[in-house]
Amino acid sequence: MDLKDQLKQIGDRFVKLKEQIQTEEATKNAFIMPFLQSLGYDVFNPLEVVPEYITDIGTKKGEKIDYAIFKDNKPTILIECKHWNKNLDLHDGQLLRYFHVSKAKFGILTNGIVFRFYSDLVQPNIMDEKPFLEVNLTDLKDSHIDEIKKFHKANFDADSIINNASELKYMNELKQLFQAEVNNPSAELVKHFTKQVYPNMITAKILEQFTGLTKRAMQHHISDLITERLKSALTKENEAEKQITAEEQEVSNEVDNKIVTTEEELEGFMIVKTILRQTVPVNRIHYRDNQSYFAILLDDNNRKPLCRLYFNSSKKYIGIFDELKKETKIELQTLDGIFELADTLKKATQAYENSI
């Protein structure tokens, strides 16, 4: 099972079990320890994952953080855990204090479903106020998976993560700002755009008017972008379907080109028509030739086979059908042998007529 599937499994378990998880310790066991295991860490190895890791803070001795992940005998990731229903915004200060006195480069604050990843990108040895990555296991995105993979034991490279974390942090903050502006454009943004399109003085009334216009314009633009993406995806899908259809047709044509309808098969067809003309009109009797056999059908319907002629080898056979459409092959010494099966052919034809 790959990492994505493992994380999704934890998210699904959270949805099913959360109401039964009453304590912080239960949250750790049900959600947080499986998360660490999915990253390749042995949660039962006290030299790798240290529970209740002691971090002295100033005059406070014996302060403990829930977990510390060690590498090369040094703490590299500190993990502070809370009960699943706790608001993490109220608890980041505790992790910040632990981070300050530790040599760890990363801190994780989690309630078992939301995982916030911190580092010291702004000021060395001081944990940033905002996480550079936040992941909700019930709303996983592919971009989240790619970032979490970097914390897997097999991939972990602190310097590489740090180099990427700064860009990730600012991009996330910019996305949040953009979302806020879309939902409620600031006066500065409205003025910026209004100046580009409105030639006169911008009064308070005009600013109020353009606030609504700016909001709708941004939302419409986003909607247009989504529509264009959908159209593009549908166009590519249609092109792929056309390509598949063309390839299938090409294969079908190749097969058709290999089919040769022989004089003997046509003669056999005429014999069958002669026999059955007493039972049904001859214009209802058709044939379809393929590579394996020559099929004679009622109403040109594959579900109404009358018989099959197997004339492509040294020995010739006719396949006849009973009421259950079970085929029996009979060897023919000559084509006249078909006449000897007249009653069987009529019976098969009549069975279709009776079923109407």
Side-chain angles (χ1 to χ4, degrees):
M1 188 183 298
D2 64 15
L3 179 60
K4 182 176 181 179
D5 290 334
Q6 292 181 67
L7 296 179
K8 186 178 184 303
Q9 190 176 70
I10 299 171
D12 292 342
R13 183 191 304 159
F14 173 82
V15 174
K16 294 177 183 177
L17 299 180
K18 63 179 182 178
E19 299 301 333
Q20 302 173 46
I21 304 300
Q22 302 297 323
T23 66
E24 182 179 302
E25 198 63 30
T27 300
K28 294 179 188 177
N29 293 333
F31 311 127
I32 299 171
M33 288 178 65
F35 177 82
L36 298 180
Q37 287 177 313
S38 73
L39 295 181
Y41 297 105
D42 184 356
V43 296
F44 302 109
N45 181 355
L47 299 180
E48 185 168 287
V49 179
V50 181
E52 300 296 316
Y53 178 61
I54 297 176
T55 54
D56 294 336
I57 304 175
T59 58
K60 292 184 178 181
K61 304 298 180 180
E63 292 291 311
K64 298 177 181 178
I65 195 164
D66 292 293
Y67 296 105
I69 295 179
F70 273 62
K71 183 179 181 182
D72 299 328
N73 297 319
K74 297 179 181 179
T76 186
I77 305 174
L78 301 181
I79 305 167
E80 179 65 16
C81 308
K82 299 300 173 185
H83 185 257
W84 66 265
N85 67 358
K86 294 295 184 181
N87 184 346
L88 295 183
D89 292 339
L90 305 177
H91 299 283
D92 53 359
Q94 190 173 3
L95 179 61
L96 187 150
R97 293 194 301 274
Y98 292 145
F99 189 94
H100 177 62
V101 297
S102 168
K103 294 182 179 180
K105 295 300 294 179
F106 302 100
I108 298 177
L109 177 62
T110 179
N111 58 9
I113 194 61
V114 174
F115 289 78
R116 294 179 177 177
F117 294 75
Y118 296 84
S119 191
D120 55 351
L121 304 174
V122 177
Q123 187 175 348
N125 300 321
I126 303 296
M127 191 182 86
D128 300 330
E129 291 184 8
K130 297 180 180 180
F132 65 85
L133 174 65
E134 180 172 326
V135 176
N136 186 321
L137 296 189
T138 62
D139 186 26
L140 276 174
K141 298 177 175 59
D142 288 341
S143 58
H144 293 158
I145 302 297
D146 292 338
E147 296 303 325
I148 294 175
K149 281 181 180 178
K150 296 172 184 176
F151 285 87
H152 194 283
K153 179 181 176 181
N155 306 323
F156 187 83
D157 183 333
D159 292 336
S160 176
I161 296 175
I162 289 294
N163 291 337
N164 181 69
S166 179
E167 179 178 325
L168 189 65
K169 174 180 182 293
Y170 293 123
M171 188 169 68
N172 287 336
E173 291 182 12
L174 287 171
K175 285 168 63 177
Q176 291 174 9
L177 287 173
F178 178 76
Q179 184 61 55
E181 292 287 2
V182 170
N183 293 334
N184 188 24
S186 63
E188 292 78 7
L189 185 71
V190 175
K191 285 180 182 178
H192 171 74
F193 285 119
T194 304
K195 289 178 181 178
Q196 316 301 316
V197 297
Y198 187 74
N200 300 323
M201 181 181 297
I202 300 175
T203 63
K205 185 176 181 180
I206 293 298
L207 189 63
E208 181 181 356
Q209 176 187 352
F210 271 86
T211 297
L213 290 174
T214 301
K215 179 178 180 178
R216 292 202 299 276
M218 289 193 294
Q219 291 175 342
H220 287 177
H221 180 63
I222 293 172
S223 178
D224 290 342
L225 288 176
I226 294 172
T227 301
E228 287 301 317
R229 290 289 296 272
L230 289 174
K231 285 182 179 178
S232 177
L234 288 173
T235 300
K236 290 180 180 178
E237 184 176 334
N238 290 336
E239 290 176 352
E241 289 179 355
K242 289 179 181 179
Q243 178 66 24
I244 292 172
T245 302
E247 291 173 355
E248 289 176 345
Q249 185 62 48
E250 185 176 344
V251 171
S252 177
N253 292 339
E254 289 178 0
V255 172
D256 290 342
N257 290 336
K258 293 179 181 179
I259 297 173
V260 178
T261 302
T262 66
E263 291 293 333
E264 282 187 310
E265 289 171 333
L266 292 174
E267 187 176 347
F269 174 61
M270 295 305 296
I271 291 172
V272 172
K273 286 181 71 173
T274 300
I275 293 171
L276 296 180
R277 68 186 306 153
Q278 302 171 26
T279 307
V280 295
V282 293
N283 61 0
R284 294 180 61 192
I285 302 173
H286 300 261
Y287 74 84
R288 295 187 191 180
D289 200 359
N290 60 47
Q291 287 183 285
S292 302
Y293 55 80
F294 182 97
I296 300 177
L297 312 168
L298 181 64
D299 299 327
D300 200 19
N301 188 336
N302 275 329
R303 296 182 179 180
K304 297 181 180 182
L306 298 173
C307 64
R308 291 174 178 173
L309 305 180
Y310 298 87
F311 288 0
N312 294 331
S313 61
S314 57
K315 291 185 178 182
K316 295 178 174 54
Y317 297 87
I318 181 172
I320 57 175
F321 296 86
D322 60 17
E323 294 86 348
L324 300 176
K325 297 185 183 179
K326 181 180 179 182
E327 183 182 12
T328 302
K329 286 185 180 181
I330 299 173
E331 186 177 353
L332 296 172
Q333 300 301 324
T334 66
L335 290 182
D336 289 341
I338 298 175
F339 286 105
E340 298 174 8
L341 301 168
D343 290 342
T344 304
L345 290 168
K346 290 177 182 178
K347 189 175 180 180
T349 306
Q350 195 60 50
Y352 293 128
E353 293 296 282
N354 294 336
S355 64
I356 295 176

